Amino acid sequence: MLRERAIGGNAPVALLLGTLGILGALGCSPQVGDPCKRATDCGLDGVRQCDVSNASRDPDQDGECIVENCSFGVCPSEAVCVKVYASDFVSIACDPDTEDIGSDNCLPNEVCLPEGLCADEIRARTSCRRKCKTDSNCRSNYKCEETGVGGVYVAPDPSDPTRQLSAKICVPR
């Protein structure tokens, strides 16, 4: 009888410690841009995914946690939504100042990028990427680069879709 009381007396303490452990783990969820090898490294809720596309060149390199299919203004505070156009399909020259006014060089499903090339809007991919001010804000093997070139742009603001926005994001070296 005495032994049952001793065990029963410790049960609330064990329950409290277990609850605190779970709450502590939830408070330290991964952020966009954190290293990962698999999706579960980015959280168990399925919001963040592990993008290993850049890690495929180097098996020792980790992927990065991202949020896929974002839109303007919906990323976590450490990130910005960027739209990336598939470079494999960027080949036809266009004039961004006159496209859609007179003779179009781009197909109906394409947009004329500021670099003067048509890009397939259907194949464009959006994802939340880590914001930065300098290289020191990015993890090793990543650098801080300005968007707005090379088919990488901040996702457009629906209230002003023609305004070209800019941000700095961490990208693989």
Side-chain angles (χ1 to χ4, degrees):
M1 189 80 162
L2 183 60
R3 185 171 183 194
E4 288 177 11
R5 285 187 195 158
I7 293 172
N10 289 334
V13 173
L15 181 62
L16 176 64
L17 290 175
T19 303
L20 288 175
I22 291 170
L23 291 175
L26 292 174
C28 298
S29 63
Q31 294 188 331
V32 169
D34 283 354
C36 59
K37 295 234 184 261
R38 62 194 60 79
T40 54
D41 295 340
C42 299
L44 300 176
D45 60 5
V47 172
R48 290 174 179 80
Q49 297 85 35
C50 183
D51 180 2
V52 294
S53 60
N54 293 313
S56 62
R57 296 178 294 196
D58 180 1
D60 295 328
Q61 181 68 27
D62 286 337
E64 67 179 307
C65 294
I66 64 168
V67 177
E68 288 278 3
N69 301 319
C70 59
S71 58
F72 180 81
V74 301
C75 291
S77 60
E78 74 273 9
V80 63
C81 184
V82 295
K83 190 172 202 174
V84 179
Y85 292 93
S87 59
D88 299 348
F89 301 98
V90 178
S91 59
I92 305 296
C94 59
D95 183 350
D97 294 329
T98 61
E99 193 68 25
D100 295 330
I101 296 172
S103 61
D104 294 349
N105 292 333
C106 299
L107 297 174
N109 62 310
E110 295 177 328
V111 62
C112 185
L113 299 176
E115 295 97 335
L117 293 170
C118 297
D120 189 339
E121 192 69 38
I122 296 169
R123 288 191 170 95
R125 176 181 161 197
T126 59
S127 59
C128 296
R129 299 294 170 154
R130 170 94 38 131
K131 291 187 287 190
C132 58
K133 291 184 181 180
T134 65
D135 288 347
S136 65
N137 298 129
C138 303
R139 64 182 226 241
S140 63
N141 295 328
Y142 279 67
K143 61 184 175 179
C144 187
E145 283 196 355
E146 189 82 28
T147 61
V149 294
V152 180
Y153 303 91
V154 172
D157 180 349
S159 66
D160 190 0
T162 60
R163 186 170 139 227
Q164 190 67 40
L165 303 170
S166 178
K168 285 184 159 187
I169 59 170
C170 296
V171 297
R173 290 190 184 271

